[in-house]
Amino acid sequence: MAAPSPGPREVLAPSPEAGCRPATSTSGRRGLLWRLRDKQARLGLFEIGPGHELHQLTCMMQTGLWAATQVSMDHPPTGPPTEEDFSEVLIQVHEGFELGTLAGPAFAWLRHSLGLAEGDYQAALGPGGPYLQFLSTSKSKASFFLSHDQRFFLKTQRRREVRALLAHLPRYVQHLQRHPHSLLARLLGVHSLRVARGKKKFFIIMQSVFYPAGRISERYDIKGCEVSRWVEPAPEGSPLVLVLKDLNFQGKTIDLGPQRSWLLHQMELDTAFLRELNVLDYSLLMAFQRLHEDERGPGSSLIFRTARSVRGVQSPEEPGSQNRRLLPDSPNALHILDGPEQRYFLGLVDLSTVYGLRKRLEHLWKTLRYPDHELEAQGVKVLSKIIQQ
């Protein structure tokens, strides 16, 4: 019988003001030109500044995440996560609130395996700049944020969703070891936040699929079903950033050229894994960016970056069974595929949706009301239809 998990460890958190400058990263200082370009890329997003209803909450998140990341910087991972690492809970006490870090050492190792520097992670999520908000088309009651550089995505979660995610975390890490170019969203952290002994809020941090976002023209959330899958597009010329859905995508296709077969096979591997976990309500996020003339053609932006993309990961699998591919020489390369004329951003999300009683009742109601419609995420089936032969 396994020993019971130890209780949460509670410590007094360091303050960003007491340590190094929180906005500093390994990328160096940001010049005026960079800041102007960054502001232009944020069009359609809203800064959560003073006066915003979520400003106090995001300030606490930033302060707490700065301190939480400092722990992993002071105690970097020395090897793959252990059973204890997956079950560790660290509570850091701040003035007026406390922030919990769940499975911190496991996520620190995962970030390291992705080649993500902890200093950059801390700078992006800490108090160096306001979080950004966008108009979500999701029907859930979750709150969604982006880090000020749009590199990281934060989403509030229900307790049971967090519990399911942590239960699946060892197998998730194992899947990424076996398939380092998987399209699954890269989970980077799970946290809790409690204000003045109130009710805990939970949130997760992911690498944003839609990064870098500066030239993205269209964004979609595809499930392969039709019921409640239409979003009213923003008026022409509007700066609003909207994620459209299946019915908005009707009549369109994507052209990946020779990478079509790779994508279909990887989707088979990833969706089979999600079915094993009973995760059935996943979505495929997809965005388009037109390539410039000098970016088109074989080899124009591709280099073999296998070692870089799986740094720190040791897997017993043969390279052929891992379904690796040539990755573009670009940030966020694991979620980017280049076709002959378009760059596509692709990633599977909603990995912690619990298919419990509420979801089953919702599915039953939709089945009775829409008997001739597909209702579940279709994965490979829908992709094979929208990718040009």
Side-chain angles (χ1 to χ4, degrees), residues 288-333:
F288 299 165
Q289 172 186 309
R290 181 162 290 279
L291 293 171
H292 293 319
E293 194 66 37
D294 60 351
E295 295 173 325
R296 300 177 187 177
S300 58
S301 63
L302 296 178
I303 59 173
F304 197 62
R305 287 177 45 188
T306 299
R308 182 172 167 187
S309 66
V310 294
R311 181 175 5 186
V313 174
Q314 301 295 323
S315 173
E317 303 292 322
E318 291 295 323
S321 66
Q322 292 184 314
N323 197 39
R324 301 186 188 190
R325 63 182 173 98
L326 290 173
L327 298 179
D329 186 17
S330 170
N332 200 28

Side-chain angles (χ1 to χ4, degrees), residues 57 61 65 125 131-132 134 136 138-147 152-158 161-162 165 187 189-192 201-206 221 223 281 283 285 349-354:
L57 172 66
M61 292 169 69
L65 290 174
L125 292 168
Y131 285 169
L132 307 175
F134 58 93
S136 170
S138 170
K139 288 191 170 183
S140 75
K141 296 181 180 179
S143 297
F144 302 86
F145 312 108
L146 286 170
S147 58
F152 303 111
F153 178 84
L154 302 91
K155 178 185 178 182
T156 59
Q157 299 269 259
R158 293 191 291 264
E161 291 174 328
V162 167
L165 189 154
L187 297 168
V190 176
H191 299 273
S192 65
K201 299 177 183 291
F202 293 89
F203 64 95
I204 62 173
I205 304 170
M206 300 186 300
D221 176 327
K223 285 188 181 292
D281 200 32
S283 290
L285 291 185
V349 298
D350 294 337
L351 310 183
S352 59
T353 302
V354 178

Side-chain angles (χ1 to χ4, degrees), residues 125-198:
L125 292 168
Y131 285 169
L132 307 175
Q133 186 182 34
F134 58 93
L135 293 180
S136 170
T137 55
S138 170
K139 288 191 170 183
S140 75
K141 296 181 180 179
S143 297
F144 302 86
F145 312 108
L146 286 170
S147 58
H148 62 84
D149 60 0
Q150 303 186 50
R151 188 177 179 184
F152 303 111
F153 178 84
L154 302 91
K155 178 185 178 182
T156 59
Q157 299 269 259
R158 293 191 291 264
R159 181 187 294 269
R160 63 176 181 172
E161 291 174 328
V162 167
R163 190 181 297 121
L165 189 154
L166 293 174
H168 297 324
L169 186 58
R171 294 175 67 184
Y172 169 82
V173 170
Q174 186 181 55
H175 181 78
L176 295 186
Q177 285 183 272
R178 289 176 175 170
H179 306 291
H181 294 173
S182 166
L183 292 170
L184 297 182
R186 294 317 192 260
L187 297 168
L188 304 176
V190 176
H191 299 273
S192 65
L193 180 72
R194 187 201 300 266
V195 181
R197 297 294 177 182

Side-chain angles (χ1 to χ4, degrees), residues 150-379:
Q150 303 186 50
R151 188 177 179 184
F152 303 111
F153 178 84
L154 302 91
K155 178 185 178 182
T156 59
Q157 299 269 259
R158 293 191 291 264
R159 181 187 294 269
R160 63 176 181 172
E161 291 174 328
V162 167
R163 190 181 297 121
L165 189 154
L166 293 174
H168 297 324
L169 186 58
R171 294 175 67 184
Y172 169 82
V173 170
Q174 186 181 55
H175 181 78
L176 295 186
Q177 285 183 272
R178 289 176 175 170
H179 306 291
H181 294 173
S182 166
L183 292 170
L184 297 182
R186 294 317 192 260
L187 297 168
L188 304 176
V190 176
H191 299 273
S192 65
L193 180 72
R194 187 201 300 266
V195 181
R197 297 294 177 182
K199 187 177 179 181
K200 277 186 180 179
K201 299 177 183 291
F202 293 89
F203 64 95
I204 62 173
I205 304 170
M206 300 186 300
Q207 198 162 287
S208 175
V209 173
F210 299 150
Y211 177 83
R215 289 166 51 196
I216 289 178
S217 59
E218 300 174 62
R219 297 167 173 82
Y220 293 91
D221 176 327
I222 302 294
K223 285 188 181 292
C225 58
E226 298 180 351
V227 175
S228 303
R229 300 299 296 170
W230 167 263
V231 171
E232 192 63 35
E236 188 172 348
S238 169
L240 291 179
V241 174
L242 292 181
V243 179
L244 305 177
K245 297 187 178 181
D246 297 67
L247 292 176
N248 301 93
F249 194 77
Q250 279 190 344
K252 300 183 180 182
T253 58
I254 63 177
D255 181 6
L256 283 172
Q259 297 206 75
R260 181 182 192 274
S261 58
W262 177 88
L263 176 60
L264 290 176
H265 183 44
Q266 189 59 54
M267 280 289 291
E268 287 177 354
L269 294 169
D270 289 335
T271 55
F273 169 69
L274 294 177
R275 285 195 299 273
E276 289 175 11
L277 301 183
N278 199 32
V279 175
L280 306 176
D281 200 32
Y282 56 85
S283 290
L284 175 67
L285 291 185
M286 179 167 52
F288 299 165
Q289 172 186 309
R290 181 162 290 279
L291 293 171
H292 293 319
E293 194 66 37
D294 60 351
E295 295 173 325
R296 300 177 187 177
S300 58
S301 63
L302 296 178
I303 59 173
F304 197 62
R305 287 177 45 188
T306 299
R308 182 172 167 187
S309 66
V310 294
R311 181 175 5 186
V313 174
Q314 301 295 323
S315 173
E317 303 292 322
E318 291 295 323
S321 66
Q322 292 184 314
N323 197 39
R324 301 186 188 190
R325 63 182 173 98
L326 290 173
L327 298 179
D329 186 17
S330 170
N332 200 28
L334 291 170
H335 288 301
I336 291 175
L337 283 87
D338 284 347
E341 297 187 355
Q342 296 264 17
R343 168 163 288 181
Y344 300 98
F345 298 76
L346 298 162
L348 288 164
V349 298
D350 294 337
L351 310 183
S352 59
T353 302
V354 178
Y355 204 73
L357 177 61
R358 186 180 68 85
K359 276 287 180 185
R360 293 180 190 279
L361 291 174
E362 179 184 325
H363 180 266
L364 175 61
W365 178 82
K366 287 182 177 179
T367 301
L368 295 173
R369 184 171 181 181
Y370 306 102
D372 299 324
H373 289 75
E374 296 279 9
L375 299 177
E376 301 296 346
Q378 299 295 307

